[in-house]
């Protein structure tokens, strides 16, 4: 399994941000700007919390298994792999969504004197921060599930990220 790459996520973020900023400018010149939902930062924050809780749970279970504590509950390799895939998918989507709301928020910075647009800029900024939290939690989850001392590299130069 390939690891997440910051370059890929940053590229998705930048492309989505530029397209969103340009789309917001175009949409505003035609009529009104679509609203940034209040639920956007909340949903992203919940996903970040779920990823972080999963990573912390797996980390404690793996540590107990390594230390051979009596009654330690092991981690099935497929469960760890599924957790990593969930984290990677969440990080990719979060990079796109954070870029989208970041671009919209950058456009809305020009209109902070209008109360409704100021609220939208705040929601967009909170969505951006929550998206970054999802990405950070996904990297942490991937790090927790990484095999110790991965010496086996695949043909593309990536290392195994789970199990």
């Amino acid at each position: 399994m390939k690891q997440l790459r910051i370059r890929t996520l940053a590229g998705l973020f930048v492309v989505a941000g530029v397209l969103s900023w340009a789309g917001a400018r175009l949409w505003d010149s035609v009529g009104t700007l679509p609203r940034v939902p209040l639920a956007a930062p909340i949903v992203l924050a919940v996903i970040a919390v779920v990823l972080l809780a999963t990573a912390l749970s797996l980390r404690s279970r793996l540590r107990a298994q390594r230390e051979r504590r009596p009654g330690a509950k092991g981690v099935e390799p497929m469960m760890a792999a599924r957790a990593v895939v969930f984290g990677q998918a969440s990080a990719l989507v979060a990079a796109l969504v954070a870029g989208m709301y970041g671009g919209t928020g950058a456009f809305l910075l020009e209109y902070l004197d209008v109360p409704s647009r100021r609220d939208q800029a705040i929601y967009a900024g909170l969505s951006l921060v929550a998206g970054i939290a999802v990405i950070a939690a996904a990297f942490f989850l991937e790090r927790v599930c990484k095999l110790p001392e991965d010496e086996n590299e695949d043909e593309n130069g990536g290392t195994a990220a789970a199990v």
Side-chain angles (χ1 to χ4, degrees):
M1 184 178 298
K2 291 186 180 181
Q3 289 181 317
L4 281 174
R5 294 179 190 243
I6 293 178
R7 286 187 310 229
T8 303
L9 296 174
L12 285 171
F13 174 81
V14 168
V15 168
V18 169
L19 289 175
S20 177
W21 176 80
R25 287 186 58 86
L26 178 64
W27 199 306
D28 188 57
S29 69
V30 173
T32 62
L33 188 64
R35 300 186 62 76
V36 177
L38 175 60
I42 295 169
V43 169
L44 287 169
V46 166
I47 292 170
V49 167
V50 168
L51 286 172
L52 183 62
T54 302
L56 292 174
S57 172
L58 287 174
R59 183 176 72 166
S60 67
R61 288 173 61 186
L62 287 169
R63 182 177 293 147
Q65 188 177 2
R66 269 193 304 271
E67 294 172 357
R68 300 183 194 270
R69 293 183 194 155
K73 195 174 181 184
V75 177
E76 292 183 29
M78 282 304 293
M79 185 179 77
R82 287 182 186 127
V84 170
V85 168
F86 172 62
Q88 289 180 345
S90 298
L92 290 168
V93 170
L96 286 170
V97 170
M100 183 182 75
Y101 286 127
T104 303
F107 170 75
L108 289 171
L109 288 176
E110 300 172 20
Y111 301 101
L112 290 179
D113 54 334
V114 180
S116 63
R117 295 243 171 147
R118 181 176 46 243
D119 292 343
Q120 296 297 302
I122 290 170
Y123 298 157
L126 290 174
S127 297
L128 174 66
V129 170
I132 292 170
V134 169
I135 293 169
F139 271 109
F140 180 61
L141 176 62
E142 187 177 67
R143 183 171 173 258
V144 165
C145 292
K146 187 174 181 178
L147 290 171
E149 299 182 25
D150 276 338
E151 296 177 9
N152 300 344
E153 291 191 7
D154 63 7
E155 59 276 354
N156 294 331
T159 58
V163 189

